[in-house]
Amino acid sequence: MFETVIGLEIHAELNTKSKIFCSCSTRFGNRPNENTCPVCMGLPGTLPVLNKEAVRLAARAGTALHCSVNRVSRFDRKNYFYPDLPKAYQITQYDLPLCEFGYLDIETGQDRPNGTRRTHRIGISRIHLEEDAGKLIHPEGETVTLLDYNRAGVPLIEIVTEPDMRSPEEAVAFLKALKSILEYTEVSDCRMEQGSLRCDVNLSVREMGKTDFGTKVEIKNLNSFREIQRALAAEGERQKKQYCSGGPDSILPETRRWDNGRGRTVTMRSKEGNQDYRYFPDPDLPPVFLDRSLLCPMRNGIPELPEQKKERFLREYGLNPYEAGLLTGEKALAGYYEEVVGFGVDSREAAHWILYELLRIRKEAGNREIPVKSRYLADLIQKIGEGRISRNTGKDVLMEMVVTRKAPGEIIREKGLSQISDPAELQKIIRGVLSRNTDAAQDYKKGSAKAIGFLMGQIMKASRGKANPNLARVLLEELLS
């Protein structure tokens, strides 16, 4: 039996308008190499100037993650050559990082007898500031590689965890919780599809019961939860097979990449040690001194975080843990939910329509934007509650709202979707259905429970989905009695 040991190194892009050591824009999507200058290109004679906002955001992340924020930190040069690094060194923090010794509690998949989830504490060894590298572009079918330095010099924090995770599922749970906190504190927008949040994973295996760590293998630059989980599972299996066939020494310390098409990790290079990077203090940047008077307001300024908000949602809105967890896992979604409830809508109904209808539509569209105004969704839920339209019709109206951006009342009027609640009109429809389905009517009288469902379906079909289902059922049963 083996145990998997996982540690993570997460790179999160900070929410600043300019780069960490120059005034170039950090805007995503500009033309290649538009956001560059002599400083971020490392031209001779230039000097870096530290972006104070980057320091503030990094310290804010450390505070939210229960770290000790060091009053003195320092920048170093990490020396290596690669085409995406114009200076041939990266400015980062090595032996004096900005934040250390934090933690984040995550919920595991194991339920307690009372229905709550167990929590597991993941240690955070350090958070340090550094600059991002550029981007290599390999055009398909061409024998050239292009370079885009727009990203070179964009401010990052690297969050390094302790090797406290024991499964791919725990690693993904940690990353989701971390992403949520960085979004809530507005430290990073965490747009994984744009590379704002990336992860390197370190994984080793050891025999169950042993305390010494196995040989660590790193997998670089993963940027989706799904692929991180797949890569960790595949690498864990590879190492276990290697261990069984050749012993623990047959696993080599190396850096690998994830080949998602073939579902396996592939060797990139042997693992470098810290000595290979020849770190030394950057002579162009003085140490960073944080005044105590700046740290106190920062601690007090941390907003309500996801776990606190979840507890409040459970308490105030009567949601179950699953619903509260989904709604509070995304800051914008939690805010949207509270806006809908703020219009006087029942909190459980609002959660249902957001989690099961609106998120499905958003997922199909592949868009992060919430596609309907909170006021319009509240209006739709209220119209369903008042019996003006049925729930099924409400789903059609919601889809129309997404497409047209119109208010639900306008769509209901234009399409004539108002629910039929006039008893006389409903009785006329029901009698017509019974006259065409005499066998089903007889079956009901003989005690068939299925017959009533069939007849109700025929009534909804005959009314084109507009019959008030509750009233129609009462009238149907009266006519059949």
Side-chain angles (χ1 to χ4, degrees), residues 64-66 102-106 120-124 173-179 181:
L65 293 169
H66 313 285
Y103 66 86
L104 176 58
D105 292 331
I106 60 168
H120 179 45
R121 177 160 294 182
I122 308 296
I124 294 171
F174 173 85
L175 285 167
K176 286 182 176 178
L178 176 68
K179 176 175 181 283
I181 287 176

Side-chain angles (χ1 to χ4, degrees), residues 186-206:
E186 298 180 353
V187 166
S188 172
D189 62 18
C190 295
R191 290 180 178 270
M192 299 181 82
E193 71 281 7
Q194 295 181 5
S196 296
L197 188 71
R198 312 189 293 272
C199 184
D200 302 338
V201 301
N202 293 294
L203 182 145
S204 63
V205 297
R206 63 185 175 190

Side-chain angles (χ1 to χ4, degrees), residues 52-72:
K52 290 181 182 176
E53 179 63 5
V55 178
R56 189 189 71 81
L57 290 174
R60 185 174 170 84
T63 304
L65 293 169
H66 313 285
C67 288
S68 168
V69 180
N70 294 326
R71 294 182 60 196
V72 182

Side-chain angles (χ1 to χ4, degrees), residues 342-467:
F343 287 110
V345 172
D346 177 82
S347 58
R348 298 295 305 274
E349 275 294 291
H352 175 87
W353 278 90
I354 292 171
L355 294 177
Y356 300 103
E357 300 301 332
L358 206 57
L359 288 192
R360 176 182 57 78
I361 294 171
R362 189 177 74 162
K363 184 178 180 183
E364 289 171 357
N367 196 334
R368 284 168 60 105
E369 182 190 355
I370 298 174
V372 171
K373 291 179 181 176
S374 55
R375 180 164 55 84
Y376 286 1
L377 181 64
D379 193 15
L380 175 67
I381 297 170
Q382 284 166 340
K383 283 180 166 45
I384 294 167
E386 292 164 359
R388 295 179 60 183
I389 56 171
S390 67
R391 293 185 76 86
N392 284 338
T393 303
K395 294 175 185 176
D396 296 336
V397 173
L398 178 62
M399 185 61 81
E400 191 75 13
M401 289 160 61
V402 172
V403 174
T404 64
R405 309 281 173 172
K406 291 181 179 176
E410 189 177 352
I411 294 169
I412 292 167
R413 277 196 306 277
E414 287 179 356
K415 294 187 173 291
L417 297 175
S418 291
Q419 191 163 256
I420 301 171
S421 296
D422 177 24
E425 190 173 352
L426 281 175
Q427 283 175 338
K428 185 178 177 183
I429 294 170
I430 294 168
R431 286 196 177 95
V433 167
L434 290 176
S435 67
R436 294 191 295 275
N437 297 278
T438 51
D439 289 347
Q442 290 303 319
D443 287 345
Y444 173 77
K445 290 176 180 176
K446 291 175 185 174
S448 171
K450 290 182 180 177
I452 194 82
F454 171 78
L455 290 169
M456 277 301 299
Q458 295 302 306
I459 292 167
M460 296 309 293
K461 183 179 178 182
S463 66
R464 292 188 295 175
K466 295 192 289 184

